[in-house]
Amino acid sequence: MELNGRFCEIESVKSTGDDWTLDVKVLPDRPDAKTPEGFARELSAIMGWPMKKGLALVADKKNARAQVQFTPQKINEILGLQLSGAEIASFLKRVRVGTKESSNVWGAYIPADRTDLNLVEDLADEVMRLYGVDNIPSVALPALNLVPLPSVYEAAQKARAILVSLGYTEIYSYSFSAAGEREVEKSLASHKSFLRTNLSDALRETLLSHLDHALFETEAARVFEIGTVFFKDREELHLAAGIAYNKEKYKKESLPSWFPHTDWSQTSVICEMPLGELVSVLAGKECPGIVPLVNLDVQYRSFSLYPRIIRDIALFVPSGVRAEDVESVIRENAGPLLAEGPVKFDEFSKAGESRTSLAFRIAFQSHKKTLSDAEANEALSSIVSALEKHPLWQVRK
Amino acid sequence: MGHLHPLTQIIYTAERYFRELGFTVAEGPEIESERYNFDALNIPADHPARAMQDTFYLKESVAPPSHKASEGKPLLRTHTTAVDAHYLEEHEPPFRIIAPGRVFRNEATDATHEAQFYQIDGLVVAEDVHLGHLKWILEEFYKHIFGAHLEFRWRRSFFSFVEPGVELDIKWGGKWLEVVGAGMLHPNVFAAAGRDPQKWRGLAFGTGLDRIAMIKYSISDIRLFYGGDPRFSKQF
């Protein structure tokens, strides 16, 4: 384990009776360590084990392949250490690099097989790996003043904050497509030979899949992407946003005036434009912050590829009972088949009545099979009986 | 309320952390040239990463006006480190940048490999920065995302554009996971950008954002990021 990360990675160690076989990946800059002799030299250097005579020769003026000038100060400045010249020389000696010093200018004699050692930085690398990267102290980098962000980058961030706060979900699609103006050599598949010229095509597909998976038929799908598209003479960062109410109607819209939002009530629209056109529109604009939209604490749950079964639950509760209270009872008693919801879709109370009617939608789904109605009903009935344990809650059947 | 894409959430989390240290965001093209993707980063002409099986080259008989012939064939950038190469050439140091963005590799896709994914690169250029600063920046960054009690393991590693090069592992769920490659910017990279390697030192790092998001959110299939499935998107 001591050897890992010094010049090689040890893949496996096997006993062959009275000896051992090591499977070792040598880092690409060290071809010299690929021979048994070279490997033995490295073992000796790192572990401090004695070498057979002849193998251990430290290079000197007569047999050196080259001489590299260095100062201990320069090596210390690269590594953030305070080693003396003698300490550095002793590290180098372990890898058979001889040294000489005159008035604080040092010369390193490079052995013939170490073709990778040519610069003072290469010597610093040798010292670093023998000293151990872990042993080099971490030192705080003093902070500097805030530096402005590129205007297009900032516009992208604002556009994202606005769109997400309006209910749009961000997607990343593929840069490769079946048609376009720039073609790649040796593409992975014929439908991935070109680079995309727009984001709208992929967005349209995504809108359809979002409609397919919506919990309510009346629910609009809202999706956007910010990404690079490629034309014959240039590449361009685009923003595309789309809203779909149903699968048939689409209106193509390309006016930047669309942004940030116009009420397209019940009209499905996809809008695409170069992000650069939005820089001035967004520059002076008050925008929702991006920070609250970032949550690293999410634990992703893989979704099932089997069909789901949707069920609704409606109940009367005394006025003052919050929908969230009911939702948590549903969630806690739904069992492992609950895949989506509960989502409240109705709430009303008649004037003069002291009770409220609430309605929630949930979806059941299994990771292992297509659910039967009976299985969904069983899960539903355990929710219903948990709700009915509250004496004043009345589930409507 | 809609939902931000989980990779956007990771990018903005990173941006907030790095901006407080005085970093800004740098952006670069997704169609790159061999020059900025490889040559300027000290990646030799015979390096395996340049091979057709790893890199998407563009099929173009006439190079578009945006590409100079001297910059080699146009390709889809294989790492956001290409943004560092542009920035170093165009901006007088000192500076601190991060470059988040989409990158491409020509490889078959499965649950852990995609032909497109996201990286974030970082570059600090100053006269007085050293490896100890690099270790601190990255340790604090991963603590910021994964929690204050995170355990680290540093290893020596090799990347053409740094010397020395290191790699960081974090302990997560009882296992060591490689999370970021880093190092001191190679003198050849400074020279290629027309900056004096005797004067400047650079802290460089680069890592996959999909991988961070997969570890943090417990996502088992990288392809979910690019499918637009509402059952995925609406969980974030």
Side-chain angles (χ1 to χ4, degrees):
Chain A
M1 278 303 105
E2 277 292 303
L3 296 177
N4 261 336
R6 306 291 187 112
F7 70 104
C8 67
E9 282 174 36
I10 296 178
E11 302 274 292
S12 71
V13 181
K14 281 191 210 98
S15 170
T16 54
D18 54 356
D19 207 348
W20 300 84
T21 306
L22 285 108
D23 188 5
V24 172
K25 244 196 222 164
V26 174
L27 289 172
D29 60 332
R30 293 301 307 281
D32 63 288
K34 284 183 183 166
T35 62
E37 292 77 18
F39 191 75
R41 284 193 192 111
E42 282 300 308
L43 280 182
S44 157
I46 290 161
M47 308 304 289
W49 295 340
M51 283 289 282
K52 259 192 194 168
K53 271 200 177 141
L55 280 181
L57 277 184
V58 174
D60 60 24
K61 197 172 180 179
K62 272 172 282 168
N63 60 22
R65 175 185 66 77
Q67 208 193 115
V68 177
Q69 277 207 349
F70 70 97
T71 61
Q73 188 197 349
K74 175 83 179 176
I75 287 178
N76 283 325
E77 281 172 1
I78 292 169
L79 299 177
L81 292 174
Q82 278 107 34
L83 300 172
S84 68
E87 284 172 297
I88 288 172
S90 83
F91 280 122
L92 293 176
K93 194 177 169 198
R94 279 167 62 183
V95 289
R96 299 176 300 115
V97 173
T99 49
K100 61 144 196 199
E101 189 238 331
S102 85
S103 58
N104 207 33
V105 175
W106 293 63
Y109 296 115
I110 310 301
D113 54 303
R114 291 302 302 273
T115 52
D116 59 313
L117 299 182
N118 301 298
L119 304 168
V120 61
E121 285 78 6
D122 299 327
L123 300 177
D125 185 16
E126 293 299 298
V127 172
M128 176 192 80
R129 70 192 180 94
L130 294 172
Y131 189 86
V133 191
D134 275 322
N135 299 325
I136 293 175
S138 300
V139 177
L141 183 75
L144 298 179
N145 290 337
L146 218 58
V147 180
L149 292 169
S151 58
V152 173
Y153 180 88
E154 216 162 32
Q157 199 164 80
K158 284 186 168 181
R160 284 189 171 102
I162 291 171
L163 285 164
V164 170
S165 67
L166 291 171
Y168 287 76
T169 292
E170 185 181 25
I171 61 150
Y172 287 14
S173 66
Y174 285 94
S175 299
F176 301 99
S177 68
E181 300 177 16
R182 313 283 296 259
E183 191 175 359
V184 297
E185 289 180 357
K186 302 267 163 74
S187 67
L188 290 169
S190 59
H191 65 284
K192 296 175 180 168
S193 306
F194 290 88
L195 296 174
R196 63 186 176 189
T197 56
N198 69 75
L199 304 176
S200 299
D201 293 346
L203 203 72
R204 186 170 294 110
E205 293 302 311
T206 307
L207 282 170
L208 294 179
S209 103
H210 278 234
L211 284 176
D212 276 338
H213 291 104
L215 209 47
F216 301 93
E217 281 166 27
T218 50
E219 192 179 320
R222 290 182 179 84
V223 176
F224 76 99
E225 176 167 14
I226 293 175
T228 304
V229 300
F230 303 86
F231 303 113
K232 215 167 199 70
D233 58 342
R234 69 187 194 285
E235 63 180 71
E236 206 165 68
L237 191 65
H238 275 204
L239 163 70
I243 183 165
Y245 291 92
N246 61 55
K247 293 186 177 185
E248 290 93 44
K249 299 178 296 187
Y250 267 102
K251 188 178 159 198
K252 254 199 168 176
E253 179 65 56
S254 59
L255 293 174
S257 62
W258 174 85
F259 201 83
H261 191 62
T262 320
D263 180 20
W264 294 101
S265 54
Q266 305 304 311
T267 316
S268 298
V269 174
I270 289 179
C271 162
E272 177 162 355
M273 72 198 90
L275 196 69
E277 290 180 15
L278 287 173
V279 170
S280 57
V281 179
L282 291 170
K285 205 167 180 64
E286 275 291 305
C287 286
I290 199 86
V291 176
L293 305 177
V294 173
N295 178 9
L296 292 191
D297 294 328
V298 171
Q299 281 302 293
Y300 171 72
R301 290 170 56 211
S302 63
F303 55 82
S304 166
L305 297 172
Y306 293 97
R308 62 186 180 179
I309 293 180
I310 291 173
R311 289 284 188 266
D312 292 338
I313 299 171
L315 72 166
F316 288 113
V317 293
S319 303
V321 172
R322 296 177 315 150
E324 297 84 62
D325 301 333
V326 180
E327 282 169 8
S328 65
V329 173
I330 294 175
R331 211 172 284 121
E332 282 158 23
N333 294 280
L337 296 178
L338 181 71
E340 289 168 82
V343 176
K344 185 187 78 176
F345 64 91
D346 193 42
E347 175 170 4
F348 76 89
S349 40
K350 275 190 198 147
E353 275 191 14
S354 60
R355 61 179 194 172
T356 306
S357 165
L358 294 170
F360 302 89
R361 178 161 284 191
I362 53 179
F364 296 112
Q365 198 172 25
S366 160
H367 273 270
K368 300 191 187 90
K369 58 176 184 157
T370 301
L371 282 187
S372 67
D373 275 330
E375 287 164 311
N377 291 341
E378 196 182 317
L380 185 67
S381 64
S382 60
I383 296 174
V384 169
S385 44
L387 292 170
E388 284 178 334
K389 283 199 183 115
H390 293 257
L392 299 173
W393 296 11
Q394 186 195 342
V395 178
R396 300 164 66 188
K397 291 176 184 160
Chain B
M1 225 26 161
H3 305 266
L4 276 183
H5 193 280
L7 291 172
T8 298
Q9 301 199 28
I10 298 287
I11 290 171
Y12 286 158
T13 302
E15 180 226 293
R16 281 213 311 286
Y17 165 77
F18 284 107
R19 276 204 92 203
E20 281 180 18
L21 293 172
F23 284 66
T24 188
V25 174
E27 293 176 307
E30 291 180 15
I31 295 183
E32 261 300 351
S33 60
E34 286 183 281
R35 174 173 170 190
Y36 291 102
N37 200 72
F38 297 125
D39 302 321
L41 295 171
N42 195 36
I43 299 171
D46 59 353
H47 195 279
R50 293 197 180 209
M52 195 71 91
Q53 63 265 28
D54 289 319
T55 303
F56 283 109
Y57 288 91
L58 294 192
K59 203 187 260 184
E60 272 159 16
S61 45
V62 182
S66 52
H67 277 271
K68 299 181 194 113
S70 61
E71 294 182 358
K73 288 189 67 149
L75 49 84
L76 293 176
R77 67 179 175 196
T78 62
H79 48 190
T80 43
T81 321
V83 181
D84 293 354
H86 282 286
Y87 201 91
L88 185 62
E89 190 177 281
E90 291 158 17
H91 296 80
E92 183 68 34
F95 59 74
R96 300 176 181 184
I97 55 163
I98 48 165
R102 184 175 289 199
V103 301
F104 305 85
R105 300 274 167 92
N106 196 343
E107 57 185 9
T109 61
D110 59 30
T112 52
H113 298 88
E114 250 301 0
Q116 64 177 41
F117 54 98
Y118 279 75
Q119 284 189 340
I120 187 167
D121 259 75
L123 180 62
V124 174
V125 178
E127 288 177 81
D128 56 357
V129 287
H130 56 66
L131 196 75
H133 294 127
L134 180 64
K135 285 186 64 181
W136 180 84
I137 293 170
L138 291 172
E139 286 172 355
E140 293 302 309
F141 174 59
Y142 284 95
K143 281 192 226 166
H144 182 70
I145 290 186
F146 291 100
H149 300 294
L150 199 59
E151 279 182 68
F152 300 106
R153 189 173 71 182
W154 285 93
R155 291 175 293 116
R156 189 257 173 184
S157 193
F158 174 77
F159 309 97
S160 301
F161 39 89
V162 291
E163 183 73 331
V166 293
E167 225 168 323
L168 175 61
D169 302 334
I170 61 168
K171 202 168 200 178
W172 191 252
K175 278 191 224 152
W176 287 107
L177 305 176
E178 296 178 19
V179 287
V180 61
M184 303 299 293
L185 199 67
H186 198 287
N188 292 353
V189 177
F190 279 111
R195 306 287 169 203
D196 180 4
Q198 300 302 319
K199 179 174 183 188
W200 300 108
R201 281 199 297 277
L203 315 176
F205 54 89
T207 187
L209 292 172
D210 303 62
R211 187 168 160 72
I212 295 180
M214 288 172 81
I215 297 169
K216 182 64 190 173
Y217 290 120
S218 308
I219 296 166
S220 55
D221 193 329
I222 191 172
R223 294 167 291 195
L224 288 164
F225 290 122
Y226 308 102
D229 194 304
R231 294 166 293 182
F232 173 79
S233 309
K234 292 190 174 181
Q235 290 193 32
F236 299 95

